[in-house]
Amino acid sequence: MAGDQLDPSIIVDGERHVVVSPGYLAGPGRPDTANSAFEAFLAEHQGWSRYSCDGGDTSVAVSDCLTGRIRLDHEPGDRYSSWTLAGYESPAGERAWHATFDLDAPHEIALAVASTFSHALSYSSPAVKEEALWGRQNTCETLLAQMRESDWLDVSTPSEMAFRSPDATAGLIRWDGGAFHDAPWSRDYPAGVTLWARGTGDDTIRTAWQAHFSKNTPTRLITAALDHLTDPQPSLRRLAEVPTAHLGVVDVRPHKGSPRSAAATATGRTALADIPVERWNAAAAAAAQAAANRPAGRTT
């Protein structure tokens, strides 16, 4: 829709589908949306078997080689994460690493990591699989190289390697315990990595969504998630699902077409209505406020 006037129904219709940029601030979406995305992932990646646990509150996909697992908690309860990915030393071995995405993390990022993991596991050659998971450089060097190619700011301290985006809405922390500054090139110290995102109105990282990668998580999986922060893509959401705290820093535009064209949105091919972004942001704010005044029940 073009012109000087917005249809009043747009402003209050929180169910209307919109395109949100950057996608890492679009919010997690509804649980049914994440479940549908998980089903689409499993349909595309044939090397996984899905099981239902905890009375249907949890879905677990196990790789055919039995060394990879993906868990989606539909009703997290006391848990702090909605997605958990894990790798095992052998089919009957101990867990080697895990990555968790908290309740507010967009499902697109978790599934991007899962896709990279699935692609690597599909190789029959151990050497090729290792290359697909780790690359040729150690994790620290790879992350530093990606940061140098971006416009992110180095905010490291003696105890951690840290970078954040210029607008402070996203960041990376590698918990090196001093290793980064003491001997950054001598070896690849095992270290956990945290990615975070937040609206600029948030005072601390604690109010952000976070993704945690334990020590020994393959490098390629960390960079698959980081790509969504350094080179963000748009995400499709219902207007009322966009977190209120992010409305001041995201672009919200109407989605032209059916919700089924979400895949096109992810690749930047979605057609957008000819309405200035700032006016749609105002519409989003009005919809979010209207939704906040209604009984609880939507995901933020």
Side-chain angles (χ1 to χ4, degrees):
M1 173 179 150
D4 294 330
Q5 298 297 320
L6 283 174
D7 183 341
S9 66
I10 293 177
I11 298 178
V12 298
D13 184 9
E15 292 300 300
R16 185 180 180 92
H17 282 84
V18 294
V19 178
V20 185
S21 299
Y24 65 78
L25 293 178
R30 293 181 176 176
D32 61 325
T33 304
N35 185 58
S36 296
F38 196 19
E39 291 177 351
F41 166 84
L42 294 173
E44 180 180 354
H45 300 264
Q46 298 296 317
W48 298 83
S49 298
R50 181 174 178 175
Y51 303 91
S52 180
C53 309
D54 301 329
D57 289 345
T58 302
S59 292
V60 177
V62 180
S63 63
D64 288 348
C65 62
L66 304 179
T67 60
R69 295 183 187 177
I70 305 169
R71 174 174 178 151
L72 169 61
D73 287 300
H74 307 284
E75 298 291 340
D78 294 333
R79 302 187 184 96
Y80 296 100
S81 60
S82 54
W83 295 91
T84 302
L85 282 70
Y88 290 77
E89 297 174 352
S90 67
E94 298 292 327
R95 189 169 70 176
W97 58 266
H98 65 277
T100 60
F101 299 80
D102 75 14
L103 305 182
D104 294 320
H107 66 265
E108 292 92 342
I109 301 178
L111 288 176
V113 176
S115 180
T116 301
F117 189 29
S118 180
H119 181 71
L121 292 179
S122 68
Y123 291 111
S124 58
S125 166
V128 176
K129 185 181 298 184
E130 185 79 2
E131 166 67 17
L133 286 171
W134 292 97
R136 297 182 181 275
Q137 293 180 312
N138 67 44
T139 303
C140 182
E141 291 172 337
T142 300
L143 293 176
L144 285 171
Q146 185 163 350
M147 291 296 92
R148 292 190 189 101
E149 294 175 358
S150 73
D151 58 354
W152 282 28
L153 307 175
D154 187 344
V155 291
S156 300
T157 70
S159 63
E160 64 188 29
M161 184 177 84
F163 290 83
R164 64 171 173 80
S165 62
D167 63 1
T169 62
L172 172 150
I173 301 172
R174 186 170 186 266
W175 308 97
D176 287 309
F180 170 62
H181 286 274
D182 292 343
W185 306 113
S186 62
R187 57 174 292 192
D188 187 25
Y189 287 84
V193 173
T194 296
L195 302 181
W196 57 265
R198 64 185 181 195
T200 55
D202 297 335
D203 295 327
T204 68
I205 294 178
R206 288 190 298 272
T207 60
W209 70 255
Q210 298 183 357
H212 297 287
F213 300 84
S214 72
K215 295 179 180 180
N216 303 318
T217 298
T219 307
R220 299 287 194 188
L221 306 189
I222 301 172
T223 58
L226 184 57
D227 285 343
H228 279 255
L229 302 183
T230 59
D231 184 21
Q233 299 297 314
S235 292
L236 186 69
R237 293 289 186 272
R238 294 175 178 86
L239 187 55
E241 294 171 348
V242 183
T244 304
H246 299 171
L247 290 174
V249 291
V250 297
D251 292 341
V252 182
R253 296 193 182 194
H255 172 69
K256 292 184 66 177
S258 70
R260 295 181 181 178
S261 57
T265 302
T267 56
R269 296 191 294 269
T270 299
L272 303 178
D274 185 20
I275 299 178
V277 170
E278 61 273 11
R279 294 174 62 199
W280 261 93
N281 283 352
Q289 184 61 50
N293 292 334
R294 292 197 296 267
R298 71 176 177 86
T299 303
T300 56

